[in-house]
Amino acid sequence: MISKILIANRGEIAVRIIRAAKEMGIKTAVVYSKADKESLAVKLADQAICIGPAPSAESYLFYQNILSAALSSKADAIHPGYGFLAENSHFSDACRAMKIIFIGPKSNAIRRMGDKAMAKELMRNSGVPVIPGSDGIVDSFNSACETVEKTGFPIIIKASAGGGGKGMRIVDEKKELERAFNYAATEAQQAFGDSRVYIEKYIGSPKHIEVQILGDKHGNVVHLFERDCSIQRRHQKLIEEAPSPSIDKDTRKKLGEIAVKAAQSVEYDSAGTVEFLYNVDTNEFFFMEMNTRIQVEHPVSEMITGIDLIKYQIRIANGEELDIKQKHIEQRGHALECRINAENPEKDFHPNPGKITQLRVPGGPGIRIDSGVYSGYTIPPYYDSMVAKLIAWGTNRKEAIDRMKRGLDEFHIEGIKTTIPFHKEVMKHKEFLSGQYTTDFISKYMS
Ligand code: MV4
């Protein structure tokens, strides 16, 4: 059994992993940069090891130091959290080479899903619906022209090494195609050191629906239903909910089965997420990407299923067989998550780090807070701006929203500007209340 976990992350996810480990009787060591000396994770872990200066490249991304910390702390496993090294197959290979358990899927799954064009081809061959477009990489303007003959306009050009919205370009007409193709390839080269792009038919006003899955090392895969993550701003999710208010029972069942099939096609053996684009007009859904990590928004799936995803990641990494079957996983009630960021919504969501001079957090029925901050804590400017996740559960969507509203009202943070006022606006917005909102919501109503 794993007896000590090194946490190669910071903030709320480091705290979340410490909590799961503690409940399982597993010791924890957390790494930290010089800027994170006073973090909550450092205070809560059994041991804390400084791995370098504030910039991520010299600390949370510098995996030689992280591996040294694992050796010196005698940890037998590393949890990467999300971001940083979580989807770096070289890092997971390096862990394995040092006989340290990487708490995540096998390197091959990370590698294959990290190449978005390859992932798409693999899914298509496994019978997972994918967005019509090029057969893999488009390597010339000529081949781009051949693709658009089939698809028509509008189309979207995506970087194969991209994902999460980086390096995309929408093209409305033929005369823009050559310029856009060259632009996209150049951008991809600059951003990822990989100029390969692929083309898809562009789907306007979709929903972003993703399915949480769990696979073990014995070939078992289950899903924990879907999350609706359509409230985004510049590809940053702001609010997530489970289940999606737009999906009916039959579609939900089909979506879950397809996500399980997608995970099985890469012999997936950890917690993961299969992302879909959902066309609300035609009721069609298409595979978009697979994320081979635990995600920020995992709590909403935990709240509606009662399953602790971090504990399962640890058990699976330890080689244990899943002790839950699909038929035992039930959906109960509704959950929402609001990401509370240290940003000023009135100044175009500009990051707003600084000292939290006063903090009063909400509580009571159906409220959960995952956070890495406390009263008197100074948020360092080097990392992302998320300071807390407010999660509300209710027996139905209405009750979850009412609890979220109450939670947002009770939440009192002084010293920094946060996205709380923004969330209050969304919680009373007609379009949000209808549940029929799409990825256009923010640009359409909130800017
Ligand atoms: C698309 C699309 C429309 N059609 N692909 C954005 C993130 C990346 N994973 C893929 N994205 C999109 N791909 C086709 N063929 C629209 C988006 C998109 C989007 C997707 C999910 C959530 C928010 C979004 C915001 C703008 C564009």
Side-chain angles (χ1 to χ4, degrees), residues 340 360-369 390-392 400-412 420 424:
I340 316 289
R360 218 164 49 229
V361 298
I367 292 289
R368 165 177 170 181
I369 296 166
L390 177 57
I391 302 121
I401 291 173
D402 289 340
R403 282 183 171 155
M404 181 60 83
K405 284 180 173 164
R406 174 178 66 76
L408 290 165
D409 276 339
E410 285 180 25
F411 219 133
H412 182 84
I420 290 174
K424 287 181 180 172

PDB file of all heavy atoms in Angstrom, residues 340 360-369 390-392 400-412 420 424:
ATOM      1  N   ILE A 340     -14.171  31.142  -7.361  1.00  0.00           N
ATOM      2  CA  ILE A 340     -13.930  32.475  -6.816  1.00  0.00           C
ATOM      3  C   ILE A 340     -12.481  32.837  -7.130  1.00  0.00           C
ATOM      4  O   ILE A 340     -11.545  32.246  -6.586  1.00  0.00           O
ATOM      5  CB  ILE A 340     -14.153  32.503  -5.272  1.00  0.00           C
ATOM      6  CG1 ILE A 340     -15.424  31.753  -4.862  1.00  0.00           C
ATOM      7  CG2 ILE A 340     -14.112  33.936  -4.745  1.00  0.00           C
ATOM      8  CD1 ILE A 340     -16.726  32.394  -5.201  1.00  0.00           C
ATOM      9  N   ARG A 360     -14.650  35.550   5.793  1.00  0.00           N
ATOM     10  CA  ARG A 360     -15.725  34.837   6.477  1.00  0.00           C
ATOM     11  C   ARG A 360     -16.339  33.920   5.437  1.00  0.00           C
ATOM     12  O   ARG A 360     -16.799  34.390   4.389  1.00  0.00           O
ATOM     13  CB  ARG A 360     -16.754  35.849   6.971  1.00  0.00           C
ATOM     14  CG  ARG A 360     -17.341  35.524   8.318  1.00  0.00           C
ATOM     15  CD  ARG A 360     -18.055  36.700   8.950  1.00  0.00           C
ATOM     16  NE  ARG A 360     -18.989  37.345   8.029  1.00  0.00           N
ATOM     17  CZ  ARG A 360     -19.042  38.652   7.805  1.00  0.00           C
ATOM     18  NH1 ARG A 360     -18.225  39.466   8.429  1.00  0.00           N
ATOM     19  NH2 ARG A 360     -19.917  39.145   6.962  1.00  0.00           N
ATOM     20  N   VAL A 361     -16.296  32.625   5.673  1.00  0.00           N
ATOM     21  CA  VAL A 361     -16.769  31.691   4.645  1.00  0.00           C
ATOM     22  C   VAL A 361     -18.167  31.171   4.970  1.00  0.00           C
ATOM     23  O   VAL A 361     -18.535  31.050   6.137  1.00  0.00           O
ATOM     24  CB  VAL A 361     -15.793  30.508   4.448  1.00  0.00           C
ATOM     25  CG1 VAL A 361     -14.439  30.998   3.983  1.00  0.00           C
ATOM     26  CG2 VAL A 361     -15.664  29.668   5.704  1.00  0.00           C
ATOM     27  N   PRO A 362     -18.961  30.882   3.927  1.00  0.00           N
ATOM     28  CA  PRO A 362     -20.307  30.364   4.141  1.00  0.00           C
ATOM     29  C   PRO A 362     -20.287  28.928   4.657  1.00  0.00           C
ATOM     30  O   PRO A 362     -19.263  28.257   4.601  1.00  0.00           O
ATOM     31  CB  PRO A 362     -20.940  30.434   2.756  1.00  0.00           C
ATOM     32  CG  PRO A 362     -19.807  30.443   1.790  1.00  0.00           C
ATOM     33  CD  PRO A 362     -18.658  31.085   2.502  1.00  0.00           C
ATOM     34  N   GLY A 363     -21.417  28.480   5.159  1.00  0.00           N
ATOM     35  CA  GLY A 363     -21.540  27.108   5.651  1.00  0.00           C
ATOM     36  C   GLY A 363     -22.987  26.672   5.582  1.00  0.00           C
ATOM     37  O   GLY A 363     -23.753  27.200   4.778  1.00  0.00           O
ATOM     38  N   GLY A 364     -23.348  25.745   6.417  1.00  0.00           N
ATOM     39  CA  GLY A 364     -24.730  25.281   6.458  1.00  0.00           C
ATOM     40  C   GLY A 364     -25.021  24.200   5.440  1.00  0.00           C
ATOM     41  O   GLY A 364     -24.121  23.756   4.727  1.00  0.00           O
ATOM     42  N   PRO A 365     -26.304  23.779   5.336  1.00  0.00           N
ATOM     43  CA  PRO A 365     -26.666  22.646   4.484  1.00  0.00           C
ATOM     44  C   PRO A 365     -26.249  22.811   3.029  1.00  0.00           C
ATOM     45  O   PRO A 365     -26.445  23.861   2.437  1.00  0.00           O
ATOM     46  CB  PRO A 365     -28.200  22.605   4.593  1.00  0.00           C
ATOM     47  CG  PRO A 365     -28.536  23.333   5.833  1.00  0.00           C
ATOM     48  CD  PRO A 365     -27.457  24.353   6.030  1.00  0.00           C
ATOM     49  N   GLY A 366     -25.651  21.777   2.487  1.00  0.00           N
ATOM     50  CA  GLY A 366     -25.363  21.729   1.062  1.00  0.00           C
ATOM     51  C   GLY A 366     -24.252  22.627   0.575  1.00  0.00           C
ATOM     52  O   GLY A 366     -24.116  22.851  -0.624  1.00  0.00           O
ATOM     53  N   ILE A 367     -23.435  23.159   1.479  1.00  0.00           N
ATOM     54  CA  ILE A 367     -22.344  24.051   1.060  1.00  0.00           C
ATOM     55  C   ILE A 367     -20.995  23.369   1.294  1.00  0.00           C
ATOM     56  O   ILE A 367     -20.749  22.796   2.353  1.00  0.00           O
ATOM     57  CB  ILE A 367     -22.390  25.387   1.843  1.00  0.00           C
ATOM     58  CG1 ILE A 367     -23.634  26.199   1.450  1.00  0.00           C
ATOM     59  CG2 ILE A 367     -21.104  26.204   1.623  1.00  0.00           C
ATOM     60  CD1 ILE A 367     -23.612  26.809   0.070  1.00  0.00           C
ATOM     61  N   ARG A 368     -20.139  23.440   0.281  1.00  0.00           N
ATOM     62  CA  ARG A 368     -18.766  22.921   0.403  1.00  0.00           C
ATOM     63  C   ARG A 368     -17.812  23.974  -0.152  1.00  0.00           C
ATOM     64  O   ARG A 368     -18.111  24.593  -1.163  1.00  0.00           O
ATOM     65  CB  ARG A 368     -18.648  21.620  -0.406  1.00  0.00           C
ATOM     66  CG  ARG A 368     -17.207  21.172  -0.669  1.00  0.00           C
ATOM     67  CD  ARG A 368     -17.169  19.836  -1.402  1.00  0.00           C
ATOM     68  NE  ARG A 368     -15.830  19.530  -1.863  1.00  0.00           N
ATOM     69  CZ  ARG A 368     -15.499  18.444  -2.551  1.00  0.00           C
ATOM     70  NH1 ARG A 368     -16.430  17.543  -2.860  1.00  0.00           N
ATOM     71  NH2 ARG A 368     -14.258  18.247  -2.943  1.00  0.00           N
ATOM     72  N   ILE A 369     -16.694  24.164   0.536  1.00  0.00           N
ATOM     73  CA  ILE A 369     -15.674  25.084   0.031  1.00  0.00           C
ATOM     74  C   ILE A 369     -14.355  24.352  -0.087  1.00  0.00           C
ATOM     75  O   ILE A 369     -13.902  23.730   0.872  1.00  0.00           O
ATOM     76  CB  ILE A 369     -15.507  26.297   0.962  1.00  0.00           C
ATOM     77  CG1 ILE A 369     -16.792  27.112   0.991  1.00  0.00           C
ATOM     78  CG2 ILE A 369     -14.349  27.183   0.493  1.00  0.00           C
ATOM     79  CD1 ILE A 369     -16.838  28.100   2.103  1.00  0.00           C
ATOM     80  N   LEU A 390     -16.588  27.509  -4.514  1.00  0.00           N
ATOM     81  CA  LEU A 390     -17.795  27.382  -3.695  1.00  0.00           C
ATOM     82  C   LEU A 390     -18.699  26.385  -4.399  1.00  0.00           C
ATOM     83  O   LEU A 390     -19.064  26.570  -5.566  1.00  0.00           O
ATOM     84  CB  LEU A 390     -18.481  28.742  -3.543  1.00  0.00           C
ATOM     85  CG  LEU A 390     -19.803  28.766  -2.782  1.00  0.00           C
ATOM     86  CD1 LEU A 390     -19.661  28.202  -1.367  1.00  0.00           C
ATOM     87  CD2 LEU A 390     -20.360  30.191  -2.707  1.00  0.00           C
ATOM     88  N   ILE A 391     -19.041  25.316  -3.694  1.00  0.00           N
ATOM     89  CA  ILE A 391     -19.830  24.246  -4.280  1.00  0.00           C
ATOM     90  C   ILE A 391     -21.132  24.134  -3.490  1.00  0.00           C
ATOM     91  O   ILE A 391     -21.109  24.130  -2.255  1.00  0.00           O
ATOM     92  CB  ILE A 391     -19.049  22.911  -4.245  1.00  0.00           C
ATOM     93  CG1 ILE A 391     -17.707  23.065  -5.012  1.00  0.00           C
ATOM     94  CG2 ILE A 391     -19.880  21.777  -4.848  1.00  0.00           C
ATOM     95  CD1 ILE A 391     -16.485  22.790  -4.190  1.00  0.00           C
ATOM     96  N   ALA A 392     -22.252  24.103  -4.214  1.00  0.00           N
ATOM     97  CA  ALA A 392     -23.552  23.988  -3.546  1.00  0.00           C
ATOM     98  C   ALA A 392     -24.282  22.769  -4.071  1.00  0.00           C
ATOM     99  O   ALA A 392     -24.297  22.514  -5.276  1.00  0.00           O
ATOM    100  CB  ALA A 392     -24.388  25.248  -3.783  1.00  0.00           C
ATOM    101  N   ALA A 400     -30.185  23.917  -5.392  1.00  0.00           N
ATOM    102  CA  ALA A 400     -28.733  24.125  -5.509  1.00  0.00           C
ATOM    103  C   ALA A 400     -28.438  25.596  -5.810  1.00  0.00           C
ATOM    104  O   ALA A 400     -27.519  26.186  -5.227  1.00  0.00           O
ATOM    105  CB  ALA A 400     -28.154  23.219  -6.590  1.00  0.00           C
ATOM    106  N   ILE A 401     -29.218  26.197  -6.708  1.00  0.00           N
ATOM    107  CA  ILE A 401     -29.014  27.611  -7.049  1.00  0.00           C
ATOM    108  C   ILE A 401     -29.331  28.506  -5.841  1.00  0.00           C
ATOM    109  O   ILE A 401     -28.582  29.439  -5.533  1.00  0.00           O
ATOM    110  CB  ILE A 401     -29.862  28.020  -8.282  1.00  0.00           C
ATOM    111  CG1 ILE A 401     -29.329  27.332  -9.537  1.00  0.00           C
ATOM    112  CG2 ILE A 401     -29.866  29.542  -8.474  1.00  0.00           C
ATOM    113  CD1 ILE A 401     -30.184  27.512 -10.796  1.00  0.00           C
ATOM    114  N   ASP A 402     -30.419  28.203  -5.138  1.00  0.00           N
ATOM    115  CA  ASP A 402     -30.772  29.002  -3.951  1.00  0.00           C
ATOM    116  C   ASP A 402     -29.684  28.918  -2.883  1.00  0.00           C
ATOM    117  O   ASP A 402     -29.370  29.905  -2.217  1.00  0.00           O
ATOM    118  CB  ASP A 402     -32.121  28.536  -3.377  1.00  0.00           C
ATOM    119  CG  ASP A 402     -33.285  28.940  -4.283  1.00  0.00           C
ATOM    120  OD1 ASP A 402     -33.102  29.872  -5.100  1.00  0.00           O
ATOM    121  OD2 ASP A 402     -34.367  28.318  -4.190  1.00  0.00           O
ATOM    122  N   ARG A 403     -29.121  27.724  -2.729  1.00  0.00           N
ATOM    123  CA  ARG A 403     -28.030  27.583  -1.753  1.00  0.00           C
ATOM    124  C   ARG A 403     -26.780  28.320  -2.213  1.00  0.00           C
ATOM    125  O   ARG A 403     -26.059  28.914  -1.407  1.00  0.00           O
ATOM    126  CB  ARG A 403     -27.727  26.098  -1.517  1.00  0.00           C
ATOM    127  CG  ARG A 403     -28.752  25.476  -0.591  1.00  0.00           C
ATOM    128  CD  ARG A 403     -28.418  24.035  -0.282  1.00  0.00           C
ATOM    129  NE  ARG A 403     -29.298  23.553   0.772  1.00  0.00           N
ATOM    130  CZ  ARG A 403     -29.602  22.280   0.957  1.00  0.00           C
ATOM    131  NH1 ARG A 403     -29.103  21.341   0.171  1.00  0.00           N
ATOM    132  NH2 ARG A 403     -30.401  21.933   1.939  1.00  0.00           N
ATOM    133  N   MET A 404     -26.499  28.264  -3.522  1.00  0.00           N
ATOM    134  CA  MET A 404     -25.340  28.988  -4.055  1.00  0.00           C
ATOM    135  C   MET A 404     -25.503  30.487  -3.821  1.00  0.00           C
ATOM    136  O   MET A 404     -24.570  31.168  -3.388  1.00  0.00           O
ATOM    137  CB  MET A 404     -25.175  28.685  -5.553  1.00  0.00           C
ATOM    138  CG  MET A 404     -23.971  29.375  -6.189  1.00  0.00           C
ATOM    139  SD  MET A 404     -22.390  28.905  -5.447  1.00  0.00           S
ATOM    140  CE  MET A 404     -22.056  27.374  -6.316  1.00  0.00           C
ATOM    141  N   LYS A 405     -26.713  31.004  -4.065  1.00  0.00           N
ATOM    142  CA  LYS A 405     -26.976  32.431  -3.822  1.00  0.00           C
ATOM    143  C   LYS A 405     -26.717  32.781  -2.365  1.00  0.00           C
ATOM    144  O   LYS A 405     -26.077  33.793  -2.061  1.00  0.00           O
ATOM    145  CB  LYS A 405     -28.442  32.750  -4.153  1.00  0.00           C
ATOM    146  CG  LYS A 405     -28.752  32.846  -5.631  1.00  0.00           C
ATOM    147  CD  LYS A 405     -30.229  33.173  -5.764  1.00  0.00           C
ATOM    148  CE  LYS A 405     -30.638  33.467  -7.179  1.00  0.00           C
ATOM    149  NZ  LYS A 405     -32.110  33.400  -7.326  1.00  0.00           N
ATOM    150  N   ARG A 406     -27.215  31.947  -1.465  1.00  0.00           N
ATOM    151  CA  ARG A 406     -27.003  32.184  -0.033  1.00  0.00           C
ATOM    152  C   ARG A 406     -25.518  32.124   0.295  1.00  0.00           C
ATOM    153  O   ARG A 406     -24.981  32.991   1.000  1.00  0.00           O
ATOM    154  CB  ARG A 406     -27.769  31.129   0.786  1.00  0.00           C
ATOM    155  CG  ARG A 406     -27.485  31.221   2.284  1.00  0.00           C
ATOM    156  CD  ARG A 406     -28.263  30.212   3.098  1.00  0.00           C
ATOM    157  NE  ARG A 406     -27.902  28.814   2.871  1.00  0.00           N
ATOM    158  CZ  ARG A 406     -26.811  28.217   3.330  1.00  0.00           C
ATOM    159  NH1 ARG A 406     -25.917  28.890   4.030  1.00  0.00           N
ATOM    160  NH2 ARG A 406     -26.581  26.930   3.089  1.00  0.00           N
ATOM    161  N   GLY A 407     -24.827  31.121  -0.248  1.00  0.00           N
ATOM    162  CA  GLY A 407     -23.394  30.976  -0.006  1.00  0.00           C
ATOM    163  C   GLY A 407     -22.614  32.197  -0.484  1.00  0.00           C
ATOM    164  O   GLY A 407     -21.707  32.685   0.200  1.00  0.00           O
ATOM    165  N   LEU A 408     -22.965  32.691  -1.664  1.00  0.00           N
ATOM    166  CA  LEU A 408     -22.277  33.867  -2.214  1.00  0.00           C
ATOM    167  C   LEU A 408     -22.540  35.093  -1.343  1.00  0.00           C
ATOM    168  O   LEU A 408     -21.656  35.933  -1.141  1.00  0.00           O
ATOM    169  CB  LEU A 408     -22.730  34.122  -3.656  1.00  0.00           C
ATOM    170  CG  LEU A 408     -22.253  33.102  -4.710  1.00  0.00           C
ATOM    171  CD1 LEU A 408     -23.046  33.251  -6.003  1.00  0.00           C
ATOM    172  CD2 LEU A 408     -20.758  33.234  -4.984  1.00  0.00           C
ATOM    173  N   ASP A 409     -23.765  35.192  -0.807  1.00  0.00           N
ATOM    174  CA  ASP A 409     -24.104  36.309   0.088  1.00  0.00           C
ATOM    175  C   ASP A 409     -23.313  36.235   1.396  1.00  0.00           C
ATOM    176  O   ASP A 409     -22.890  37.258   1.929  1.00  0.00           O
ATOM    177  CB  ASP A 409     -25.605  36.304   0.401  1.00  0.00           C
ATOM    178  CG  ASP A 409     -26.411  37.005  -0.688  1.00  0.00           C
ATOM    179  OD1 ASP A 409     -25.813  37.813  -1.433  1.00  0.00           O
ATOM    180  OD2 ASP A 409     -27.623  36.732  -0.806  1.00  0.00           O
ATOM    181  N   GLU A 410     -23.153  35.029   1.924  1.00  0.00           N
ATOM    182  CA  GLU A 410     -22.424  34.862   3.191  1.00  0.00           C
ATOM    183  C   GLU A 410     -20.923  35.050   3.028  1.00  0.00           C
ATOM    184  O   GLU A 410     -20.222  35.374   3.989  1.00  0.00           O
ATOM    185  CB  GLU A 410     -22.671  33.452   3.767  1.00  0.00           C
ATOM    186  CG  GLU A 410     -24.040  33.260   4.385  1.00  0.00           C
ATOM    187  CD  GLU A 410     -24.224  31.831   4.931  1.00  0.00           C
ATOM    188  OE1 GLU A 410     -23.225  31.166   5.253  1.00  0.00           O
ATOM    189  OE2 GLU A 410     -25.381  31.382   5.011  1.00  0.00           O
ATOM    190  N   PHE A 411     -20.429  34.796   1.812  1.00  0.00           N
ATOM    191  CA  PHE A 411     -18.979  34.843   1.546  1.00  0.00           C
ATOM    192  C   PHE A 411     -18.491  36.279   1.647  1.00  0.00           C
ATOM    193  O   PHE A 411     -18.952  37.155   0.923  1.00  0.00           O
ATOM    194  CB  PHE A 411     -18.695  34.305   0.140  1.00  0.00           C
ATOM    195  CG  PHE A 411     -17.453  33.457   0.040  1.00  0.00           C
ATOM    196  CD1 PHE A 411     -17.475  32.232  -0.627  1.00  0.00           C
ATOM    197  CD2 PHE A 411     -16.257  33.869   0.602  1.00  0.00           C
ATOM    198  CE1 PHE A 411     -16.345  31.436  -0.726  1.00  0.00           C
ATOM    199  CE2 PHE A 411     -15.120  33.086   0.505  1.00  0.00           C
ATOM    200  CZ  PHE A 411     -15.161  31.855  -0.160  1.00  0.00           C
ATOM    201  N   HIS A 412     -17.558  36.521   2.558  1.00  0.00           N
ATOM    202  CA  HIS A 412     -17.092  37.886   2.789  1.00  0.00           C
ATOM    203  C   HIS A 412     -15.567  37.892   2.707  1.00  0.00           C
ATOM    204  O   HIS A 412     -14.890  37.288   3.535  1.00  0.00           O
ATOM    205  CB  HIS A 412     -17.583  38.337   4.170  1.00  0.00           C
ATOM    206  CG  HIS A 412     -17.211  39.731   4.519  1.00  0.00           C
ATOM    207  ND1 HIS A 412     -17.960  40.816   4.118  1.00  0.00           N
ATOM    208  CD2 HIS A 412     -16.151  40.210   5.222  1.00  0.00           C
ATOM    209  CE1 HIS A 412     -17.369  41.916   4.575  1.00  0.00           C
ATOM    210  NE2 HIS A 412     -16.281  41.580   5.238  1.00  0.00           N
ATOM    211  N   ILE A 420     -16.961  37.150  -6.921  1.00  0.00           N
ATOM    212  CA  ILE A 420     -18.233  36.895  -6.224  1.00  0.00           C
ATOM    213  C   ILE A 420     -19.390  37.733  -6.798  1.00  0.00           C
ATOM    214  O   ILE A 420     -20.461  37.166  -7.082  1.00  0.00           O
ATOM    215  CB  ILE A 420     -18.086  37.081  -4.689  1.00  0.00           C
ATOM    216  CG1 ILE A 420     -17.229  35.940  -4.111  1.00  0.00           C
ATOM    217  CG2 ILE A 420     -19.461  37.113  -3.995  1.00  0.00           C
ATOM    218  CD1 ILE A 420     -16.892  36.092  -2.631  1.00  0.00           C
ATOM    219  N   LYS A 424     -22.988  36.296  -8.451  1.00  0.00           N
ATOM    220  CA  LYS A 424     -24.333  36.695  -7.973  1.00  0.00           C
ATOM    221  C   LYS A 424     -25.211  37.107  -9.148  1.00  0.00           C
ATOM    222  O   LYS A 424     -26.402  36.789  -9.180  1.00  0.00           O
ATOM    223  CB  LYS A 424     -24.210  37.855  -6.971  1.00  0.00           C
ATOM    224  CG  LYS A 424     -23.667  37.439  -5.622  1.00  0.00           C
ATOM    225  CD  LYS A 424     -23.616  38.650  -4.699  1.00  0.00           C
ATOM    226  CE  LYS A 424     -23.084  38.268  -3.327  1.00  0.00           C
ATOM    227  NZ  LYS A 424     -22.850  39.452  -2.482  1.00  0.00           N
TER     228      LYS A 424
END
